[in-house]
Short mmCIF file of all heavy atoms in Angstrom, two decimals:
data_model
loop_
_atom_site.label_atom_id
_atom_site.label_comp_id
_atom_site.label_asym_id
_atom_site.label_seq_id
_atom_site.Cartn_x
_atom_site.Cartn_y
_atom_site.Cartn_z
N HIS A 24 112.02 -104.87 68.86
CA HIS A 24 112.79 -106.09 68.85
C HIS A 24 112.17 -107.18 68.10
O HIS A 24 112.70 -108.30 68.23
CB HIS A 24 112.90 -106.56 70.32
CG HIS A 24 113.44 -105.52 71.34
ND1 HIS A 24 114.77 -105.01 71.40
CD2 HIS A 24 112.80 -104.83 72.34
CE1 HIS A 24 114.82 -104.18 72.23
NE2 HIS A 24 113.68 -103.98 72.89
N ALA A 25 111.26 -107.01 67.31
CA ALA A 25 110.62 -108.03 66.56
C ALA A 25 111.53 -108.48 65.42
O ALA A 25 112.32 -107.73 64.74
CB ALA A 25 109.26 -107.44 65.88
N THR A 26 111.32 -109.81 65.14
CA THR A 26 112.12 -110.36 63.98
C THR A 26 111.25 -110.39 62.71
O THR A 26 110.05 -110.05 62.76
CB THR A 26 112.39 -111.84 64.26
OG1 THR A 26 111.15 -112.64 64.48
CG2 THR A 26 113.22 -112.01 65.62
N ILE A 27 111.92 -110.61 61.57
CA ILE A 27 111.20 -110.70 60.33
C ILE A 27 110.05 -111.69 60.45
O ILE A 27 108.88 -111.46 59.97
CB ILE A 27 112.21 -111.07 59.16
CG1 ILE A 27 113.15 -109.91 58.97
CG2 ILE A 27 111.35 -111.22 57.88
CD1 ILE A 27 112.67 -108.61 58.71
N ASP A 28 110.39 -112.94 61.04
CA ASP A 28 109.34 -113.85 61.14
C ASP A 28 108.10 -113.40 61.85
O ASP A 28 106.95 -113.60 61.53
CB ASP A 28 109.87 -115.18 61.88
CG ASP A 28 110.90 -115.85 60.90
OD1 ASP A 28 110.90 -115.64 59.71
OD2 ASP A 28 111.61 -116.66 61.48
N THR A 29 108.29 -112.59 62.97
CA THR A 29 107.14 -112.10 63.88
C THR A 29 106.37 -111.08 62.96
O THR A 29 105.12 -111.06 62.99
CB THR A 29 107.67 -111.41 65.05
OG1 THR A 29 108.45 -112.22 65.85
CG2 THR A 29 106.57 -110.85 65.89
N ALA A 30 107.10 -110.32 62.15
CA ALA A 30 106.34 -109.30 61.35
C ALA A 30 105.59 -110.03 60.30
O ALA A 30 104.43 -109.63 59.97
CB ALA A 30 107.33 -108.44 60.78
N VAL A 31 106.12 -111.00 59.67
CA VAL A 31 105.36 -111.83 58.65
C VAL A 31 104.14 -112.44 59.24
O VAL A 31 103.16 -112.49 58.57
CB VAL A 31 106.41 -112.83 58.00
CG1 VAL A 31 105.63 -113.70 57.09
CG2 VAL A 31 107.41 -112.14 57.14
N GLU A 32 104.33 -113.06 60.40
CA GLU A 32 103.23 -113.82 61.05
C GLU A 32 102.12 -112.77 61.32
O GLU A 32 100.87 -113.16 61.20
CB GLU A 32 103.63 -114.46 62.32
CG GLU A 32 102.48 -115.26 63.06
CD GLU A 32 103.00 -115.74 64.46
OE1 GLU A 32 104.08 -115.52 64.85
OE2 GLU A 32 102.10 -116.43 65.01
N ALA A 33 102.42 -111.65 61.89
CA ALA A 33 101.48 -110.53 62.26
C ALA A 33 100.73 -110.17 60.93
O ALA A 33 99.41 -110.04 60.91
CB ALA A 33 101.97 -109.40 62.90
N THR A 34 101.44 -109.97 59.86
CA THR A 34 100.71 -109.68 58.55
C THR A 34 99.87 -110.79 58.07
O THR A 34 98.83 -110.52 57.50
CB THR A 34 101.88 -109.31 57.59
OG1 THR A 34 102.68 -108.27 57.97
CG2 THR A 34 101.17 -108.85 56.21
N ARG A 35 100.27 -112.04 58.20
CA ARG A 35 99.49 -113.20 57.78
C ARG A 35 98.27 -113.19 58.58
O ARG A 35 97.07 -113.54 58.04
CB ARG A 35 100.24 -114.39 57.97
CG ARG A 35 99.57 -115.70 57.52
CD ARG A 35 100.35 -116.90 57.92
NE ARG A 35 100.63 -117.09 59.33
CZ ARG A 35 99.79 -117.46 60.21
NH1 ARG A 35 98.54 -117.81 59.85
NH2 ARG A 35 100.08 -117.63 61.50
N ILE A 36 98.23 -112.93 59.86
CA ILE A 36 96.97 -112.95 60.66
C ILE A 36 96.06 -111.86 60.32
O ILE A 36 94.89 -112.01 60.36
CB ILE A 36 97.46 -112.77 62.18
CG1 ILE A 36 98.28 -114.01 62.66
CG2 ILE A 36 96.20 -112.72 63.04
CD1 ILE A 36 98.74 -113.89 64.06
N GLY A 37 96.63 -110.70 59.90
CA GLY A 37 95.68 -109.59 59.44
C GLY A 37 96.23 -108.19 59.80
O GLY A 37 95.44 -107.30 59.58
N ALA A 38 97.46 -108.06 60.37
CA ALA A 38 97.92 -106.68 60.63
C ALA A 38 98.02 -106.03 59.32
O ALA A 38 98.52 -106.49 58.32
CB ALA A 38 99.35 -106.86 61.35
N PHE A 39 97.94 -104.64 59.43
CA PHE A 39 97.92 -103.81 58.28
C PHE A 39 99.36 -103.42 57.97
O PHE A 39 99.74 -103.43 56.75
CB PHE A 39 97.03 -102.56 58.57
CG PHE A 39 97.34 -101.46 57.51
CD1 PHE A 39 96.72 -101.71 56.26
CD2 PHE A 39 97.97 -100.37 57.65
CE1 PHE A 39 96.79 -100.70 55.24
CE2 PHE A 39 98.18 -99.34 56.68
CZ PHE A 39 97.60 -99.52 55.43
N SER A 40 100.13 -103.07 58.95
CA SER A 40 101.56 -102.66 58.68
C SER A 40 102.27 -102.88 60.02
O SER A 40 101.71 -103.18 61.06
CB SER A 40 101.61 -101.34 58.18
OG SER A 40 101.09 -100.37 59.02
N PHE A 41 103.57 -102.46 60.00
CA PHE A 41 104.47 -102.69 61.00
C PHE A 41 105.31 -101.45 61.26
O PHE A 41 105.94 -100.87 60.27
CB PHE A 41 105.27 -103.91 60.89
CG PHE A 41 106.46 -104.17 61.89
CD1 PHE A 41 106.10 -104.86 63.11
CD2 PHE A 41 107.64 -103.67 61.69
CE1 PHE A 41 107.03 -105.04 64.00
CE2 PHE A 41 108.61 -103.97 62.67
CZ PHE A 41 108.36 -104.56 63.94
N LEU A 42 105.52 -100.90 62.46
CA LEU A 42 106.33 -99.78 62.72
C LEU A 42 107.49 -100.32 63.72
O LEU A 42 107.11 -100.91 64.76
CB LEU A 42 105.54 -98.71 63.36
CG LEU A 42 104.67 -97.84 62.47
CD1 LEU A 42 103.93 -96.77 63.25
CD2 LEU A 42 105.49 -97.11 61.40
N GLU A 43 108.79 -100.06 63.36
CA GLU A 43 109.87 -100.34 64.17
C GLU A 43 110.19 -99.19 65.12
O GLU A 43 110.30 -98.07 64.77
CB GLU A 43 111.01 -100.57 63.36
CG GLU A 43 112.21 -101.21 64.17
CD GLU A 43 113.48 -101.47 63.19
OE1 GLU A 43 113.27 -101.47 62.01
OE2 GLU A 43 114.40 -102.01 63.91
N LYS A 44 110.37 -99.55 66.43
CA LYS A 44 110.68 -98.45 67.37
C LYS A 44 112.20 -98.23 67.26
O LYS A 44 112.92 -99.20 67.09
CB LYS A 44 110.26 -98.90 68.82
CG LYS A 44 108.83 -99.06 69.15
CD LYS A 44 108.55 -99.55 70.49
CE LYS A 44 107.10 -99.70 70.75
NZ LYS A 44 106.71 -100.26 72.14
N PRO A 45 112.62 -96.97 67.64
CA PRO A 45 111.84 -95.76 68.06
C PRO A 45 111.16 -95.36 66.67
O PRO A 45 111.70 -95.25 65.60
CB PRO A 45 112.94 -94.83 68.50
CG PRO A 45 114.24 -95.22 67.80
CD PRO A 45 114.12 -96.72 67.74
N ILE A 46 109.97 -94.91 66.94
CA ILE A 46 109.09 -94.35 65.96
C ILE A 46 109.08 -92.93 65.64
O ILE A 46 108.91 -92.14 66.62
CB ILE A 46 107.53 -94.81 66.17
CG1 ILE A 46 107.45 -96.33 66.48
CG2 ILE A 46 106.57 -94.32 65.21
CD1 ILE A 46 106.02 -96.66 67.09
N THR A 47 109.60 -92.70 64.38
CA THR A 47 109.53 -91.19 64.12
C THR A 47 108.24 -90.64 63.87
O THR A 47 107.33 -91.46 63.52
CB THR A 47 110.43 -90.89 62.95
OG1 THR A 47 109.89 -91.46 61.75
CG2 THR A 47 111.85 -91.51 63.16
N MET A 48 108.03 -89.34 64.10
CA MET A 48 106.71 -88.71 63.89
C MET A 48 106.18 -88.97 62.43
O MET A 48 105.06 -89.17 62.09
CB MET A 48 106.73 -87.23 64.18
CG MET A 48 105.36 -86.44 64.02
SD MET A 48 105.46 -84.75 64.28
CE MET A 48 105.82 -84.78 66.16
N GLN A 49 107.16 -88.77 61.48
CA GLN A 49 106.83 -88.87 60.02
C GLN A 49 106.33 -90.26 59.72
O GLN A 49 105.39 -90.45 58.99
CB GLN A 49 108.10 -88.64 59.14
CG GLN A 49 108.48 -87.14 59.16
CD GLN A 49 109.39 -86.72 60.34
OE1 GLN A 49 109.51 -87.58 61.29
NE2 GLN A 49 109.94 -85.62 60.42
N LYS A 50 107.03 -91.29 60.15
CA LYS A 50 106.53 -92.72 59.90
C LYS A 50 105.27 -92.98 60.67
O LYS A 50 104.40 -93.62 60.01
CB LYS A 50 107.65 -93.65 60.31
CG LYS A 50 108.98 -93.56 59.58
CD LYS A 50 109.96 -94.64 59.99
CE LYS A 50 111.11 -94.75 59.07
NZ LYS A 50 112.15 -95.69 59.50
#
């Protein structure tokens, strides 16, 4: 349920990447 702003903020803080649920095995 994360928004684009949330993903951008997490990346700015230092997150490596973002996975959107439901998460497939390949991703």
Side-chain angles (χ1 to χ4, degrees):
H24 309 287
T26 64
I27 296 296
D28 290 341
T29 303
V31 169
E32 181 184 5
T34 302
R35 180 185 59 79
I36 295 171
F39 172 73
S40 63
F41 175 84
L42 285 175
E43 185 176 2
K44 296 178 181 179
I46 302 171
T47 65
M48 183 183 293
Q49 290 84 353
K50 288 183 178 180

